Amino acid sequence: LARPFDEIPGEWKNGWVNLYRFWKEDGFHNIHGLMEKKFQTFGPIYREKIGYYESVNIIQPEDAAAIFKVEGIFPERLKVKPWVAYRDFRNKKYGILLKTGEEWRSNRLVLNKEVLSLHVIDQFLPLLNEVGEDFMNRIHHQIQRSGRGRWTADLSNELFRFALESVSYVLYGERLRLLQDCIDPEAQRFIDAVTKMFQTTSPMLYIPPKLLRTINSKIWTDHIGAWDVIFTQADKCIQNIYRDLRLNQKNKKEYNGVLANLLLLDKLHIDDIKASVTELMAGGVDTTSMTLQWTLYELARYPMVQDKLRAEVLAAKSEAQGDMSKVLKSVPLVKAAIKETLRLHPVAVSLQRYIRQDTVIQKYLIPAGTLVQVGLYAMGRDPTVFAKPEKYNPERWLEREANHFRGLGFGFGPRQCIGRRIAEMEMHLFLIHLLENFRIEVKREAEVKTTFDLILVPSKPIHLTLLPL
Ligand code: HEM
Ligand code: 2DC
């Protein structure tokens, strides 16, 4: 017999007292650390209420599997209220990120075909490969310019530019030309706006947006300002393509990008297309760039792992004789490295679902409608889930059987990350080219910690050194 819901351990009686404690313990920037500690205190399940957000938190892969079984056909995650508030405030439609129910599903199915399906990602390969190669040329150039045979820098902004160039090329079929010294200042504004948008979201998560709006607080105006830049910039890109299509200036033979295909397909309303394409463009910047940065950091700290990956890449390259699609099929360790990075440094601190059926987890009965969170960050560092969790060891992913519901960096099921295939291909190609050309080093200094800025990011700049091989 299942134990009652009210007996789940945790602090859930007074949400506002908990919010005060949460704030005092720097929870706004350390939510991942607090979650990790709570699992250590309460065990593999705990209930919590912070402000008006109430949830049940789980950490074990088997429990995650049980949750995704009862997510229903319109899975919903925790609603990020400031994002919804912006769209309501400016009278804009929600894209797939924020839509719910049947409307989410119908839009998502159309979009899946254009960004996630296996046949379409083959078309992305030459585009993402071109951007990857251009980035390597940029590194060579920077090394030459330094006159010291190496390039040491905080690569954050370089990687933002790489990521925006990549996702834009796929979406619009056109280059933004961000991998040169002088770039369009509007593009840099877009990049800065996405970061700002994330940063201003986290302190607003627990405060009703309406309240912030009425007192016209700085955080609210900054947040609105950031989204305004994002939408204005994306709209310019979208209008360009729209105009070119109407003037029939698109080449019928080559791949013209996700947006052109969606417009020609004519299955979604133009406002829905705009809303989702804007989200894809914004969603493609900080996510892949930060994951790549963490990967370079770990490869620099584990030179033996770096050498092993490089050996795999060189072998795959000489075998495939220039066919990148073949190379991608023979670099399991490179792919495992991305999984390993997302284990220790996930973009999302948790996955969440409102469950649609009563479910028993850890012997407790969880009623339908409850918000359940899978503590992704905590799971990745739990020694009962991953042996020697502190060690960066991509090879752990090569043993097939042991991975059941452990690689959840992109979420799971029909509501998983829609940018997943773009992100993976972009990051795999980047690493293949980088490992073939450069050695990565980092100064032996104190370990870089993690900060919660809605997505998880390095808590201080990472200075990496790239040396030609
Ligand atoms: C959703 C992670 C890159 C666009 C998500 C979710 C996660 C995630 C965990 C929630 C999934 C769930 O609830 O099951 C990541 C990671 C990335 C990445 C780790 C790269 C390392 C991207 C890129 C794009 C993107 C490149 C755009 C091209 C989105 C969108 C959603 C989403 C639009 C919402 C989908 C929906 O609600 O239907 N992502 N993401 N992401 N991601 Fe990503
Ligand atoms: C943040 O408590 C912490 O992929 C909250 O590309 C719960 C929560 C809900 C939704 C998550 C969010 C967290 C982190 C960032 C995610 C987001 C869903 C999609 C988004 C994971 C865990 C992200 C980064 C998208 C963003 C697209 C946007 C720029 C248009």
Side-chain angles (χ1 to χ4, degrees), residues 77 80 97 197-198 279 282-283 287 348-350 352 452 454-455:
R77 65 176 83 86
V80 180
L97 175 70
M197 180 280 290
F198 281 127
E279 288 173 357
T287 47
V349 63
S350 71
Q352 327 83 36
F452 175 76
L454 200 82
I455 61 169

Side-chain angles (χ1 to χ4, degrees), residues 57-105:
N57 292 261
I58 58 171
I59 190 170
Q60 289 184 351
E62 295 69 26
D63 295 338
I67 292 308
F68 288 115
K69 265 198 184 146
V70 293
E71 64 175 2
I73 54 167
F74 312 127
E76 262 178 61
R77 65 176 83 86
L78 184 144
K79 189 186 275 175
V80 180
K81 290 190 183 177
W83 296 354
V84 176
Y86 172 79
R87 279 127 181 111
D88 293 349
F89 180 60
R90 287 283 189 239
N91 243 318
K92 291 189 186 294
K93 284 200 118 182
Y94 304 159
I96 33 151
L97 175 70
L98 302 174
K99 279 190 197 293
T100 55
E102 189 53 61
E103 220 198 317
W104 166 77
R105 209 173 95 95

Side-chain angles (χ1 to χ4, degrees), residues 182-192 233:
C182 285
I183 67 163
D184 180 2
E186 292 298 311
Q188 188 62 53
R189 272 186 80 211
F190 182 87
I191 289 171
D192 297 339
Q233 198 55 29

Side-chain angles (χ1 to χ4, degrees), residues 9 16 30 100 115 148 152-154 156 172 261 303 306 318 326 339 353-354 422 435:
W16 302 105
N30 187 32
T100 55
V115 294
R148 287 161 55 235
T152 302
D154 170 6
S156 303
Y172 307 122
N261 282 0
Q306 185 181 150
S318 71
K326 259 194 191 161
K339 286 195 190 170
R353 289 294 184 268
Y354 292 93
I422 297 175
L435 287 161

Side-chain angles (χ1 to χ4, degrees), residues 68 71 75-78 95-99 104 108 112 115 163 167 170-171 276-277 279-292 338 342 345-353 376 408-424 426-427:
F68 288 115
E71 64 175 2
E76 262 178 61
R77 65 176 83 86
L78 184 144
I96 33 151
L97 175 70
L98 302 174
K99 279 190 197 293
W104 166 77
R108 172 90 198 206
N112 278 351
V115 294
V167 75
V170 166
L171 291 176
S276 284
V277 167
E279 288 173 357
L280 290 173
M281 189 178 172
V285 184
D286 295 40
T287 47
T288 50
S289 56
M290 285 305 166
T291 306
L292 282 172
I338 293 296
L342 288 173
H345 312 287
V347 169
V349 63
S350 71
L351 305 173
Q352 327 83 36
R353 289 294 184 268
L376 208 54
L408 293 174
F410 291 96
F412 183 83
R415 191 118 210 189
Q416 70 177 276
C417 177
I418 196 168
R420 176 179 192 157
R421 294 270 150 72
I422 297 175
E424 286 177 337
E426 176 187 321
M427 296 189 292

